[in-house]
PDB file of all heavy atoms in Angstrom:
ATOM      1  N   PHE A 122     -19.313  25.593  15.800  1.00 96.00           N
ATOM      2  CA  PHE A 122     -19.941  25.059  17.001  1.00 96.00           C
ATOM      3  C   PHE A 122     -19.475  25.821  18.243  1.00 96.00           C
ATOM      4  O   PHE A 122     -20.280  26.309  19.049  1.00 96.00           O
ATOM      5  CB  PHE A 122     -19.602  23.572  17.113  1.00 96.00           C
ATOM      6  CG  PHE A 122     -20.157  22.871  18.330  1.00 96.00           C
ATOM      7  CD1 PHE A 122     -21.430  23.117  18.786  1.00 96.00           C
ATOM      8  CD2 PHE A 122     -19.385  21.922  19.005  1.00 96.00           C
ATOM      9  CE1 PHE A 122     -21.951  22.459  19.895  1.00 96.00           C
ATOM     10  CE2 PHE A 122     -19.891  21.259  20.108  1.00 96.00           C
ATOM     11  CZ  PHE A 122     -21.162  21.529  20.562  1.00 96.00           C
ATOM     12  N   VAL A 123     -18.166  25.950  18.392  1.00 97.00           N
ATOM     13  CA  VAL A 123     -17.611  26.591  19.581  1.00 97.00           C
ATOM     14  C   VAL A 123     -18.029  28.059  19.665  1.00 97.00           C
ATOM     15  O   VAL A 123     -18.339  28.565  20.752  1.00 97.00           O
ATOM     16  CB  VAL A 123     -16.077  26.448  19.594  1.00 97.00           C
ATOM     17  CG1 VAL A 123     -15.453  27.374  20.632  1.00 97.00           C
ATOM     18  CG2 VAL A 123     -15.683  25.000  19.882  1.00 97.00           C
ATOM     19  N   LYS A 124     -18.070  28.737  18.538  1.00 97.00           N
ATOM     20  CA  LYS A 124     -18.503  30.138  18.552  1.00 97.00           C
ATOM     21  C   LYS A 124     -19.923  30.262  19.088  1.00 97.00           C
ATOM     22  O   LYS A 124     -20.250  31.217  19.802  1.00 97.00           O
ATOM     23  CB  LYS A 124     -18.417  30.730  17.145  1.00 97.00           C
ATOM     24  CG  LYS A 124     -17.010  31.104  16.699  1.00 97.00           C
ATOM     25  CD  LYS A 124     -17.050  31.822  15.362  1.00 97.00           C
ATOM     26  CE  LYS A 124     -15.677  32.328  14.955  1.00 97.00           C
ATOM     27  NZ  LYS A 124     -15.718  33.093  13.679  1.00 97.00           N
ATOM     28  N   GLN A 125     -20.764  29.295  18.756  1.00 98.00           N
ATOM     29  CA  GLN A 125     -22.152  29.354  19.238  1.00 98.00           C
ATOM     30  C   GLN A 125     -22.257  28.928  20.696  1.00 98.00           C
ATOM     31  O   GLN A 125     -23.138  29.411  21.423  1.00 98.00           O
ATOM     32  CB  GLN A 125     -23.054  28.520  18.327  1.00 98.00           C
ATOM     33  CG  GLN A 125     -23.203  29.169  16.958  1.00 98.00           C
ATOM     34  CD  GLN A 125     -24.127  28.403  16.047  1.00 98.00           C
ATOM     35  OE1 GLN A 125     -25.312  28.693  15.932  1.00 98.00           O
ATOM     36  NE2 GLN A 125     -23.572  27.408  15.368  1.00 98.00           N
ATOM     37  N   LEU A 126     -21.366  28.058  21.145  1.00 98.00           N
ATOM     38  CA  LEU A 126     -21.307  27.753  22.580  1.00 98.00           C
ATOM     39  C   LEU A 126     -20.951  29.027  23.352  1.00 98.00           C
ATOM     40  O   LEU A 126     -21.517  29.300  24.417  1.00 98.00           O
ATOM     41  CB  LEU A 126     -20.267  26.665  22.855  1.00 98.00           C
ATOM     42  CG  LEU A 126     -20.542  25.269  22.293  1.00 98.00           C
ATOM     43  CD1 LEU A 126     -19.410  24.321  22.674  1.00 98.00           C
ATOM     44  CD2 LEU A 126     -21.879  24.718  22.773  1.00 98.00           C
ATOM     45  N   ASP A 127     -20.032  29.783  22.814  1.00 98.00           N
ATOM     46  CA  ASP A 127     -19.636  31.039  23.467  1.00 98.00           C
ATOM     47  C   ASP A 127     -20.796  32.035  23.509  1.00 98.00           C
ATOM     48  O   ASP A 127     -20.992  32.731  24.514  1.00 98.00           O
ATOM     49  CB  ASP A 127     -18.441  31.656  22.742  1.00 98.00           C
ATOM     50  CG  ASP A 127     -17.157  30.853  22.931  1.00 98.00           C
ATOM     51  OD1 ASP A 127     -17.093  30.062  23.898  1.00 98.00           O
ATOM     52  OD2 ASP A 127     -16.224  31.015  22.119  1.00 98.00           O
ATOM     53  N   ILE A 128     -21.564  32.093  22.416  1.00 98.00           N
ATOM     54  CA  ILE A 128     -22.732  32.977  22.401  1.00 98.00           C
ATOM     55  C   ILE A 128     -23.720  32.549  23.487  1.00 98.00           C
ATOM     56  O   ILE A 128     -24.261  33.385  24.223  1.00 98.00           O
ATOM     57  CB  ILE A 128     -23.412  32.961  21.012  1.00 98.00           C
ATOM     58  CG1 ILE A 128     -22.527  33.658  19.970  1.00 98.00           C
ATOM     59  CG2 ILE A 128     -24.793  33.629  21.070  1.00 98.00           C
ATOM     60  CD1 ILE A 128     -23.033  33.523  18.544  1.00 98.00           C
ATOM     61  N   ALA A 129     -23.953  31.244  23.579  1.00 98.00           N
ATOM     62  CA  ALA A 129     -24.886  30.738  24.594  1.00 98.00           C
ATOM     63  C   ALA A 129     -24.421  31.118  25.997  1.00 98.00           C
ATOM     64  O   ALA A 129     -25.230  31.507  26.849  1.00 98.00           O
ATOM     65  CB  ALA A 129     -25.020  29.221  24.466  1.00 98.00           C
ATOM     66  N   LYS A 130     -23.128  31.002  26.253  1.00 98.00           N
ATOM     67  CA  LYS A 130     -22.620  31.373  27.571  1.00 98.00           C
ATOM     68  C   LYS A 130     -22.800  32.870  27.826  1.00 98.00           C
ATOM     69  O   LYS A 130     -23.217  33.271  28.917  1.00 98.00           O
ATOM     70  CB  LYS A 130     -21.141  31.007  27.677  1.00 98.00           C
ATOM     71  CG  LYS A 130     -20.878  29.525  27.906  1.00 98.00           C
ATOM     72  CD  LYS A 130     -19.408  29.249  28.088  1.00 98.00           C
ATOM     73  CE  LYS A 130     -18.872  29.932  29.335  1.00 98.00           C
ATOM     74  NZ  LYS A 130     -17.420  29.675  29.533  1.00 98.00           N
ATOM     75  N   GLU A 131     -22.497  33.691  26.825  1.00 98.00           N
ATOM     76  CA  GLU A 131     -22.630  35.136  26.990  1.00 98.00           C
ATOM     77  C   GLU A 131     -24.076  35.540  27.251  1.00 98.00           C
ATOM     78  O   GLU A 131     -24.341  36.474  28.017  1.00 98.00           O
ATOM     79  CB  GLU A 131     -22.110  35.846  25.743  1.00 98.00           C
ATOM     80  CG  GLU A 131     -20.595  35.757  25.565  1.00 98.00           C
ATOM     81  CD  GLU A 131     -20.142  36.315  24.234  1.00 98.00           C
ATOM     82  OE1 GLU A 131     -20.945  37.025  23.581  1.00 98.00           O
ATOM     83  OE2 GLU A 131     -18.990  36.064  23.847  1.00 98.00           O
ATOM     84  N   LEU A 132     -25.014  34.825  26.638  1.00 98.00           N
ATOM     85  CA  LEU A 132     -26.432  35.146  26.786  1.00 98.00           C
ATOM     86  C   LEU A 132     -27.098  34.356  27.919  1.00 98.00           C
ATOM     87  O   LEU A 132     -28.294  34.508  28.157  1.00 98.00           O
ATOM     88  CB  LEU A 132     -27.173  34.881  25.468  1.00 98.00           C
ATOM     89  CG  LEU A 132     -26.716  35.713  24.270  1.00 98.00           C
ATOM     90  CD1 LEU A 132     -27.538  35.349  23.039  1.00 98.00           C
ATOM     91  CD2 LEU A 132     -26.833  37.200  24.563  1.00 98.00           C
ATOM     92  N   ASP A 133     -26.327  33.513  28.580  1.00 98.00           N
ATOM     93  CA  ASP A 133     -26.852  32.656  29.657  1.00 98.00           C
ATOM     94  C   ASP A 133     -28.028  31.810  29.168  1.00 98.00           C
ATOM     95  O   ASP A 133     -29.083  31.742  29.797  1.00 98.00           O
ATOM     96  CB  ASP A 133     -27.268  33.501  30.865  1.00 98.00           C
ATOM     97  CG  ASP A 133     -27.548  32.641  32.094  1.00 98.00           C
ATOM     98  OD1 ASP A 133     -26.997  31.519  32.188  1.00 98.00           O
ATOM     99  OD2 ASP A 133     -28.327  33.081  32.974  1.00 98.00           O
ATOM    100  N   LEU A 134     -27.818  31.172  28.007  1.00 98.00           N
ATOM    101  CA  LEU A 134     -28.836  30.307  27.419  1.00 98.00           C
ATOM    102  C   LEU A 134     -28.330  28.874  27.333  1.00 98.00           C
ATOM    103  O   LEU A 134     -27.124  28.644  27.173  1.00 98.00           O
ATOM    104  CB  LEU A 134     -29.190  30.789  26.003  1.00 98.00           C
ATOM    105  CG  LEU A 134     -29.947  32.102  25.887  1.00 98.00           C
ATOM    106  CD1 LEU A 134     -30.068  32.503  24.419  1.00 98.00           C
ATOM    107  CD2 LEU A 134     -31.335  31.996  26.517  1.00 98.00           C
ATOM    108  N   PRO A 135     -29.223  27.897  27.413  1.00 98.00           N
ATOM    109  CA  PRO A 135     -28.830  26.509  27.173  1.00 98.00           C
ATOM    110  C   PRO A 135     -28.605  26.268  25.690  1.00 98.00           C
ATOM    111  O   PRO A 135     -28.888  27.141  24.857  1.00 98.00           O
ATOM    112  CB  PRO A 135     -30.034  25.714  27.679  1.00 98.00           C
ATOM    113  CG  PRO A 135     -31.188  26.641  27.471  1.00 98.00           C
ATOM    114  CD  PRO A 135     -30.654  28.034  27.700  1.00 98.00           C
ATOM    115  N   VAL A 136     -28.099  25.087  25.355  1.00 98.00           N
ATOM    116  CA  VAL A 136     -27.861  24.732  23.958  1.00 98.00           C
ATOM    117  C   VAL A 136     -28.660  23.482  23.604  1.00 98.00           C
ATOM    118  O   VAL A 136     -28.844  22.583  24.424  1.00 98.00           O
ATOM    119  CB  VAL A 136     -26.364  24.510  23.664  1.00 98.00           C
ATOM    120  CG1 VAL A 136     -25.630  25.837  23.647  1.00 98.00           C
ATOM    121  CG2 VAL A 136     -25.717  23.559  24.672  1.00 98.00           C
ATOM    122  N   ILE A 138     -28.654  20.427  21.002  1.00 98.00           N
ATOM    123  CA  ILE A 138     -27.472  19.867  20.356  1.00 98.00           C
ATOM    124  C   ILE A 138     -27.760  18.699  19.412  1.00 98.00           C
ATOM    125  O   ILE A 138     -28.510  17.779  19.734  1.00 98.00           O
ATOM    126  CB  ILE A 138     -26.480  19.386  21.437  1.00 98.00           C
ATOM    127  CG1 ILE A 138     -25.985  20.566  22.272  1.00 98.00           C
ATOM    128  CG2 ILE A 138     -25.310  18.633  20.841  1.00 98.00           C
ATOM    129  CD1 ILE A 138     -25.153  21.572  21.535  1.00 98.00           C
ATOM    130  N   VAL A 146     -17.042  13.568  21.397  1.00 96.00           N
ATOM    131  CA  VAL A 146     -16.369  14.838  21.116  1.00 96.00           C
ATOM    132  C   VAL A 146     -17.270  16.011  21.468  1.00 96.00           C
ATOM    133  O   VAL A 146     -16.822  17.027  22.028  1.00 96.00           O
ATOM    134  CB  VAL A 146     -15.940  14.908  19.634  1.00 96.00           C
ATOM    135  CG1 VAL A 146     -15.363  16.275  19.302  1.00 96.00           C
ATOM    136  CG2 VAL A 146     -14.926  13.813  19.323  1.00 96.00           C
ATOM    137  N   THR A 147     -18.553  15.885  21.152  1.00 97.00           N
ATOM    138  CA  THR A 147     -19.490  16.969  21.433  1.00 97.00           C
ATOM    139  C   THR A 147     -19.574  17.245  22.928  1.00 97.00           C
ATOM    140  O   THR A 147     -19.511  18.406  23.368  1.00 97.00           O
ATOM    141  CB  THR A 147     -20.890  16.622  20.880  1.00 97.00           C
ATOM    142  OG1 THR A 147     -20.785  16.345  19.482  1.00 97.00           O
ATOM    143  CG2 THR A 147     -21.856  17.767  21.090  1.00 97.00           C
ATOM    144  N   ILE A 148     -19.711  16.195  23.719  1.00 98.00           N
ATOM    145  CA  ILE A 148     -19.815  16.366  25.169  1.00 98.00           C
ATOM    146  C   ILE A 148     -18.526  16.934  25.748  1.00 98.00           C
ATOM    147  O   ILE A 148     -18.552  17.853  26.578  1.00 98.00           O
ATOM    148  CB  ILE A 148     -20.194  15.030  25.836  1.00 98.00           C
ATOM    149  CG1 ILE A 148     -21.669  14.712  25.537  1.00 98.00           C
ATOM    150  CG2 ILE A 148     -19.960  15.075  27.350  1.00 98.00           C
ATOM    151  CD1 ILE A 148     -22.123  13.339  25.998  1.00 98.00           C
ATOM    152  N   GLU A 149     -17.396  16.430  25.305  1.00 98.00           N
ATOM    153  CA  GLU A 149     -16.120  16.942  25.807  1.00 98.00           C
ATOM    154  C   GLU A 149     -15.934  18.413  25.436  1.00 98.00           C
ATOM    155  O   GLU A 149     -15.434  19.204  26.240  1.00 98.00           O
ATOM    156  CB  GLU A 149     -14.959  16.103  25.264  1.00 98.00           C
ATOM    157  CG  GLU A 149     -14.773  14.779  25.983  1.00 98.00           C
ATOM    158  CD  GLU A 149     -14.604  14.949  27.489  1.00 98.00           C
ATOM    159  OE1 GLU A 149     -13.759  15.783  27.903  1.00 98.00           O
ATOM    160  OE2 GLU A 149     -15.316  14.287  28.251  1.00 98.00           O
ATOM    161  N   THR A 150     -16.321  18.773  24.223  1.00 98.00           N
ATOM    162  CA  THR A 150     -16.191  20.166  23.795  1.00 98.00           C
ATOM    163  C   THR A 150     -17.056  21.072  24.656  1.00 98.00           C
ATOM    164  O   THR A 150     -16.616  22.160  25.070  1.00 98.00           O
ATOM    165  CB  THR A 150     -16.584  20.308  22.312  1.00 98.00           C
ATOM    166  OG1 THR A 150     -15.743  19.469  21.513  1.00 98.00           O
ATOM    167  CG2 THR A 150     -16.437  21.751  21.840  1.00 98.00           C
ATOM    168  N   MET A 151     -18.269  20.640  24.950  1.00 98.00           N
ATOM    169  CA  MET A 151     -19.145  21.460  25.793  1.00 98.00           C
ATOM    170  C   MET A 151     -18.578  21.588  27.205  1.00 98.00           C
ATOM    171  O   MET A 151     -18.611  22.670  27.798  1.00 98.00           O
ATOM    172  CB  MET A 151     -20.555  20.871  25.819  1.00 98.00           C
ATOM    173  CG  MET A 151     -21.283  21.011  24.498  1.00 98.00           C
ATOM    174  SD  MET A 151     -23.068  20.686  24.611  1.00 98.00           S
ATOM    175  CE  MET A 151     -23.074  18.935  25.010  1.00 98.00           C
ATOM    176  N   LYS A 152     -18.048  20.507  27.733  1.00 98.00           N
ATOM    177  CA  LYS A 152     -17.451  20.571  29.068  1.00 98.00           C
ATOM    178  C   LYS A 152     -16.256  21.512  29.087  1.00 98.00           C
ATOM    179  O   LYS A 152     -16.092  22.320  30.006  1.00 98.00           O
ATOM    180  CB  LYS A 152     -17.042  19.167  29.511  1.00 98.00           C
ATOM    181  CG  LYS A 152     -18.217  18.260  29.855  1.00 98.00           C
ATOM    182  CD  LYS A 152     -17.806  16.797  29.966  1.00 98.00           C
ATOM    183  CE  LYS A 152     -16.770  16.541  31.019  1.00 98.00           C
ATOM    184  NZ  LYS A 152     -16.450  15.086  31.119  1.00 98.00           N
ATOM    185  N   GLU A 153     -15.414  21.429  28.058  1.00 97.00           N
ATOM    186  CA  GLU A 153     -14.229  22.287  27.981  1.00 97.00           C
ATOM    187  C   GLU A 153     -14.593  23.764  27.920  1.00 97.00           C
ATOM    188  O   GLU A 153     -13.833  24.614  28.389  1.00 97.00           O
ATOM    189  CB  GLU A 153     -13.397  21.915  26.758  1.00 97.00           C
ATOM    190  CG  GLU A 153     -12.684  20.570  26.866  1.00 97.00           C
ATOM    191  CD  GLU A 153     -12.075  20.124  25.552  1.00 97.00           C
ATOM    192  OE1 GLU A 153     -12.164  20.886  24.567  1.00 97.00           O
ATOM    193  OE2 GLU A 153     -11.520  19.006  25.504  1.00 97.00           O
ATOM    194  N   HIS A 154     -15.751  24.048  27.349  1.00 97.00           N
ATOM    195  CA  HIS A 154     -16.161  25.445  27.199  1.00 97.00           C
ATOM    196  C   HIS A 154     -17.160  25.883  28.265  1.00 97.00           C
ATOM    197  O   HIS A 154     -17.817  26.919  28.132  1.00 97.00           O
ATOM    198  CB  HIS A 154     -16.714  25.681  25.784  1.00 97.00           C
ATOM    199  CG  HIS A 154     -15.641  25.692  24.746  1.00 97.00           C
ATOM    200  ND1 HIS A 154     -15.107  24.533  24.215  1.00 97.00           N
ATOM    201  CD2 HIS A 154     -14.959  26.725  24.162  1.00 97.00           C
ATOM    202  CE1 HIS A 154     -14.171  24.850  23.343  1.00 97.00           C
ATOM    203  NE2 HIS A 154     -14.053  26.153  23.300  1.00 97.00           N
ATOM    204  N   GLY A 155     -17.271  25.109  29.313  1.00 97.00           N
ATOM    205  CA  GLY A 155     -18.040  25.530  30.470  1.00 97.00           C
ATOM    206  C   GLY A 155     -19.538  25.542  30.296  1.00 97.00           C
ATOM    207  O   GLY A 155     -20.245  26.298  30.970  1.00 97.00           O
ATOM    208  N   ILE A 156     -20.066  24.695  29.386  1.00 98.00           N
ATOM    209  CA  ILE A 156     -21.515  24.619  29.200  1.00 98.00           C
ATOM    210  C   ILE A 156     -22.124  23.794  30.331  1.00 98.00           C
ATOM    211  O   ILE A 156     -21.681  22.673  30.617  1.00 98.00           O
ATOM    212  CB  ILE A 156     -21.851  23.981  27.836  1.00 98.00           C
ATOM    213  CG1 ILE A 156     -21.336  24.857  26.695  1.00 98.00           C
ATOM    214  CG2 ILE A 156     -23.354  23.760  27.704  1.00 98.00           C
ATOM    215  CD1 ILE A 156     -21.919  26.251  26.638  1.00 98.00           C
ATOM    216  N   SER A 157     -23.140  24.334  30.958  1.00 97.00           N
ATOM    217  CA  SER A 157     -23.771  23.626  32.081  1.00 97.00           C
ATOM    218  C   SER A 157     -25.176  23.138  31.761  1.00 97.00           C
ATOM    219  O   SER A 157     -25.679  22.227  32.426  1.00 97.00           O
ATOM    220  CB  SER A 157     -23.817  24.532  33.313  1.00 97.00           C
ATOM    221  OG  SER A 157     -24.556  25.715  33.038  1.00 97.00           O
ATOM    222  N   ARG A 158     -25.828  23.750  30.752  1.00 98.00           N
ATOM    223  CA  ARG A 158     -27.192  23.331  30.387  1.00 98.00           C
ATOM    224  C   ARG A 158     -27.222  22.962  28.909  1.00 98.00           C
ATOM    225  O   ARG A 158     -27.005  23.818  28.045  1.00 98.00           O
ATOM    226  CB  ARG A 158     -28.199  24.448  30.673  1.00 98.00           C
ATOM    227  CG  ARG A 158     -28.462  24.688  32.151  1.00 98.00           C
ATOM    228  CD  ARG A 158     -29.505  25.756  32.340  1.00 98.00           C
ATOM    229  NE  ARG A 158     -29.037  27.049  31.857  1.00 98.00           N
ATOM    230  CZ  ARG A 158     -29.841  28.022  31.455  1.00 98.00           C
ATOM    231  NH1 ARG A 158     -31.155  27.839  31.426  1.00 98.00           N
ATOM    232  NH2 ARG A 158     -29.340  29.170  31.044  1.00 98.00           N
ATOM    233  N   ALA A 159     -27.468  21.691  28.651  1.00 98.00           N
ATOM    234  CA  ALA A 159     -27.478  21.213  27.267  1.00 98.00           C
ATOM    235  C   ALA A 159     -28.464  20.076  27.115  1.00 98.00           C
ATOM    236  O   ALA A 159     -28.606  19.228  28.005  1.00 98.00           O
ATOM    237  CB  ALA A 159     -26.082  20.735  26.848  1.00 98.00           C
ATOM    238  N   GLY A 174     -22.130  12.478  30.026  1.00 98.00           N
ATOM    239  CA  GLY A 174     -22.999  13.640  29.887  1.00 98.00           C
ATOM    240  C   GLY A 174     -23.866  13.845  31.123  1.00 98.00           C
ATOM    241  O   GLY A 174     -24.085  14.981  31.547  1.00 98.00           O
ATOM    242  N   LYS A 176     -23.062  13.042  34.165  1.00 98.00           N
ATOM    243  CA  LYS A 176     -22.188  13.617  35.193  1.00 98.00           C
ATOM    244  C   LYS A 176     -22.004  15.113  34.998  1.00 98.00           C
ATOM    245  O   LYS A 176     -21.859  15.868  35.969  1.00 98.00           O
ATOM    246  CB  LYS A 176     -20.819  12.921  35.158  1.00 98.00           C
ATOM    247  CG  LYS A 176     -20.817  11.492  35.660  1.00 98.00           C
ATOM    248  CD  LYS A 176     -19.408  10.916  35.577  1.00 98.00           C
ATOM    249  CE  LYS A 176     -19.395   9.450  35.980  1.00 98.00           C
ATOM    250  NZ  LYS A 176     -18.030   8.868  35.838  1.00 98.00           N
ATOM    251  N   ALA A 177     -22.005  15.540  33.747  1.00 98.00           N
ATOM    252  CA  ALA A 177     -21.842  16.963  33.440  1.00 98.00           C
ATOM    253  C   ALA A 177     -23.138  17.744  33.625  1.00 98.00           C
ATOM    254  O   ALA A 177     -23.147  18.969  33.487  1.00 98.00           O
ATOM    255  CB  ALA A 177     -21.330  17.134  32.012  1.00 98.00           C
ATOM    256  N   GLY A 178     -24.241  17.031  33.896  1.00 98.00           N
ATOM    257  CA  GLY A 178     -25.525  17.693  34.100  1.00 98.00           C
ATOM    258  C   GLY A 178     -26.338  17.872  32.836  1.00 98.00           C
ATOM    259  O   GLY A 178     -27.328  18.607  32.837  1.00 98.00           O
ATOM    260  N   PHE A 179     -25.950  17.190  31.753  1.00 98.00           N
ATOM    261  CA  PHE A 179     -26.648  17.337  30.481  1.00 98.00           C
ATOM    262  C   PHE A 179     -27.876  16.427  30.426  1.00 98.00           C
ATOM    263  O   PHE A 179     -28.024  15.483  31.203  1.00 98.00           O
ATOM    264  CB  PHE A 179     -25.721  17.015  29.317  1.00 98.00           C
ATOM    265  CG  PHE A 179     -24.484  17.879  29.245  1.00 98.00           C
ATOM    266  CD1 PHE A 179     -23.327  17.426  28.620  1.00 98.00           C
ATOM    267  CD2 PHE A 179     -24.468  19.148  29.808  1.00 98.00           C
ATOM    268  CE1 PHE A 179     -22.191  18.215  28.559  1.00 98.00           C
ATOM    269  CE2 PHE A 179     -23.332  19.953  29.752  1.00 98.00           C
ATOM    270  CZ  PHE A 179     -22.191  19.475  29.125  1.00 98.00           C
TER     271      PHE A 179
END
Side-chain angles (χ1 to χ4, degrees):
F122 179 41
V123 167
K124 282 186 174 183
Q125 291 182 96
L126 294 180
D127 290 340
I128 290 172
K130 283 184 64 180
E131 290 173 15
L132 298 180
D133 192 25
L134 290 173
V136 287
I138 296 294
V146 175
T147 304
I148 287 173
E149 282 305 310
T150 301
M151 290 194 294
K152 288 166 60 178
E153 289 170 3
H154 287 81
I156 297 299
S157 59
R158 289 183 295 155
K176 289 180 184 177
F179 301 155

